[in-house]
Amino acid sequence: MSTRIAKPAARMRKLPRQARSIATVEAIIEAGAHVLSELGWAGFSTNKVAEAAGVSIGSLYQYFPDKLALVEAIRRRHFDHVLSVIREASAEEKPLKQFARELVRGMIGAHSIHPTLHQVLLDEVPGDRGSRAAHASFQARYLEHYAAAVAQYRKRRKDTETMARVLSSAVEGVIHNAARRNMLDAPELQKQLGELIQAYISGGKAA
Amino acid sequence: MSTRIAKPAARMRKLPRQARSIATVEAIIEAGAHVLSELGWAGFSTNKVAEAAGVSIGSLYQYFPDKLALVEAIRRRHFDHVLSVIREASAEEKPLKQFARELVRGMIGAHSIHPTLHQVLLDEVPGDRGSRAAHASFQARYLEHYAAAVAQYRKRRKDTETMARVLSSAVEGVIHNAARRNMLDAPELQKQLGELIQAYISGGKAA
DNA sequence: ATGAATGTGAGTATCCTGTTTATATTCTCG
DNA sequence: CGAGAATATAAACAGGATACTCACATTCAT
């Protein structure tokens, strides 16, 4: 719930020491997320990000050695956020209905600021050497939470992992699609997504 | 099931008359779909497409007045294909289980050749003036089929349209995600996707 | 007030892009 | 066959955008 200050280093040219520069770095990352979400990877240029951040291009390169380091910082922040949402939703034991509702609410919240950032990060941004590992580890932990939830509400232990993958990608698909149409906050959509989750997890008894 | 020869014109500079040129145009469109799927919109350049098609850049411009005309041709072909898949799956009255199975099979088939083309077309390719209408009309007909299916297996008439949207985007999400991991032909995934569809459509009685 | 931290933005060097055009090859058909 | 149409080629162009540097200006902490 609290805004993360982001772990100190993610391949930065130098660390911001004063409050001024911390704000600058923050503005750059924020503007970067915005540009990436709005224009996609194709429109993500360092100059554009600097301008959107209200900062000179020189300042950007004072802290980020190159374009990819910046995008890695953006990715890290976003993934941390999403991860915390799922962690909270799947924490403790609670009725399926409540889990579904919290998951939907959290996921929608996480996408409301930069609606398509998540997909752009997954699909368009090139997977460079260094970030591949971090990326995979994120995906793994991401799935773990879904799998834990699936296992909790299900007797059959068989297809847990596949189900987790199907469920997570289905949820992402719905949210991504809603984001594209600016329908992220339509209540009937939230309700239906919740029911999709419940229906799938609670299994295929009714034909 | 049969390979479409594509409607004659889609804003072409001139029509191919001889067999040779028809093959050329076909190769260009095919290569274009490949490049678009593989490199995304950011990596989609006319020179690259021409090279991938084994054709000189000049030939490309002999038939397509510009880059966008080419991408429109690609889009048209792909959407026609997808549309025919859904049309066939939702035609006639058949048990829900069979509908789900056919839909999954068809959708996976439609994405097996150019796994991420669909998403790239939807997300990355800019919506230019002329194609906006065609795009919308495709989406409308696309949803109609889903809605028809939902209505057929459901009593409640209330949320039919929202359900169709949720269902279609969930299916797309799963397929897109599977495509990214090269898991499109994993049978357990197909099975689970089928069950997701059934569970959602057949409603949330079982908690 | 002095040195360190921070900020500036014009400038550079490249790389690519979409597109044209002059020319070469292949086809059609009388 | 052979003439004209259809088709194919690829070098070249003009223009723009890009990531990134650097010499200098400003603001901070002490």
Side-chain angles (χ1 to χ4, degrees):
Chain A
M1 210 153 220
S2 64
T3 309
R4 302 269 152 178
I5 314 221
K7 287 162 193 163
R11 239 184 92 233
M12 293 182 70
R13 189 164 270 178
K14 75 183 180 194
L15 292 177
R17 292 165 208 286
Q18 310 179 356
R20 201 169 24 137
S21 55
I22 289 178
T24 296
V25 169
E26 171 59 28
I28 292 171
I29 295 180
E30 175 61 25
H34 183 231
V35 170
L36 206 48
S37 171
E38 215 71 18
L39 288 331
W41 173 252
F44 181 79
S45 87
T46 52
N47 292 290
K48 224 174 289 183
V49 170
E51 186 188 349
V55 152
S56 98
I57 181 65
S59 290
L60 192 158
Y61 279 94
Q62 202 126 58
Y63 300 100
F64 299 97
D66 55 34
K67 202 188 180 182
L68 282 162
L70 171 56
V71 99
E72 274 168 38
I74 295 168
R75 176 154 42 198
R76 183 194 195 114
R77 221 177 56 144
H78 176 74
F79 282 175
D80 279 358
H81 185 195
V82 169
L83 222 45
S84 81
V85 163
I86 315 178
R87 187 163 38 228
E88 275 180 37
S90 70
E92 313 166 28
E93 305 219 341
K94 52 187 81 162
L96 173 55
K97 192 166 189 170
Q98 194 188 343
F99 163 73
R101 213 169 33 208
E102 287 184 15
L103 181 62
V104 170
R105 240 179 61 85
M107 282 306 240
I108 288 181
H111 287 79
S112 291
I113 321 145
H114 306 301
T116 66
L117 177 61
H118 193 88
Q119 289 290 327
V120 170
L121 246 18
L122 290 182
D123 292 343
E124 303 184 33
V125 175
D128 46 308
R129 16 147 241 286
S131 74
R132 256 298 197 251
H135 199 193
S137 126
F138 162 75
Q139 288 278 10
R141 278 190 292 165
Y142 186 70
L143 273 180
E144 263 172 37
H145 288 291
Y146 271 98
V150 168
Q152 186 180 337
Y153 303 107
R154 270 240 150 192
K155 342 259 165 171
R156 301 198 70 251
R157 290 234 148 214
K158 197 64 188 309
D159 303 306
T160 306
E161 195 184 317
T162 303
M163 285 191 67
R165 245 192 257 281
V166 167
L167 186 60
S168 72
S169 53
V171 170
E172 276 184 36
V174 172
I175 288 187
H176 174 51
N177 187 278
R180 203 179 22 226
R181 322 177 176 278
N182 283 40
M183 300 239 78
L184 260 186
D185 41 6
E188 75 268 27
L189 181 136
Q190 305 185 12
K191 189 177 160 225
Q192 287 299 326
L193 178 53
E195 286 187 10
L196 172 78
I197 296 171
Q198 289 180 64
Y200 181 52
I201 290 189
S202 72
K205 300 222 163 154
Chain B
M1 212 155 220
S2 64
T3 309
R4 303 270 150 176
I5 312 225
K7 287 161 196 163
R11 239 185 90 233
M12 293 181 69
R13 188 163 271 176
K14 75 182 178 193
L15 293 177
R17 292 165 209 287
Q18 310 179 355
R20 198 166 32 132
S21 55
I22 290 178
T24 296
V25 169
E26 172 58 28
I28 291 171
I29 295 181
E30 175 61 25
H34 183 231
V35 169
L36 206 49
S37 171
E38 215 72 19
L39 287 329
W41 173 252
F44 181 79
S45 85
T46 51
N47 292 288
K48 225 175 289 185
V49 169
E51 186 189 348
V55 152
S56 98
I57 180 64
S59 290
L60 193 157
Y61 278 93
Q62 201 125 54
Y63 300 101
F64 300 95
D66 55 35
K67 203 188 179 180
L68 283 161
L70 171 56
V71 101
E72 272 169 39
I74 295 168
R75 177 155 38 199
R76 183 194 195 115
R77 221 178 55 145
H78 176 74
F79 282 175
D80 279 359
H81 185 194
V82 169
L83 222 45
S84 82
V85 163
I86 316 177
R87 187 163 38 228
E88 275 181 37
S90 70
E92 311 166 32
E93 304 220 342
K94 52 187 83 163
L96 172 54
K97 192 166 190 171
Q98 193 189 344
F99 162 73
R101 213 167 36 207
E102 287 184 16
L103 180 61
V104 170
R105 241 180 60 85
M107 282 307 239
I108 287 181
H111 287 80
S112 291
I113 321 146
H114 305 302
T116 66
L117 177 60
H118 193 87
Q119 289 290 326
V120 170
L121 247 17
L122 290 183
D123 293 342
E124 304 185 33
V125 175
D128 47 307
R129 18 146 240 286
S131 74
R132 256 297 197 253
H135 200 204
S137 127
F138 161 75
Q139 289 277 13
R141 277 190 293 164
Y142 185 69
L143 273 180
E144 263 172 37
H145 289 291
Y146 270 98
V150 168
Q152 184 179 339
Y153 303 107
R154 271 239 150 192
K155 343 260 163 171
R156 304 197 69 250
R157 289 237 149 215
K158 196 67 188 307
D159 304 305
T160 305
E161 194 184 318
T162 304
M163 285 190 69
R165 245 192 256 282
V166 167
L167 186 59
S168 73
S169 53
V171 169
E172 274 184 38
V174 172
I175 288 186
H176 174 52
N177 187 277
R180 201 174 30 220
R181 319 177 179 279
N182 282 40
M183 301 239 76
L184 260 187
D185 41 7
E188 76 267 28
L189 181 136
Q190 306 184 12
K191 190 178 157 224
Q192 287 299 326
L193 178 53
E195 286 186 11
L196 173 79
I197 297 170
Q198 288 180 63
Y200 181 53
I201 290 188
S202 73
K205 299 223 161 152

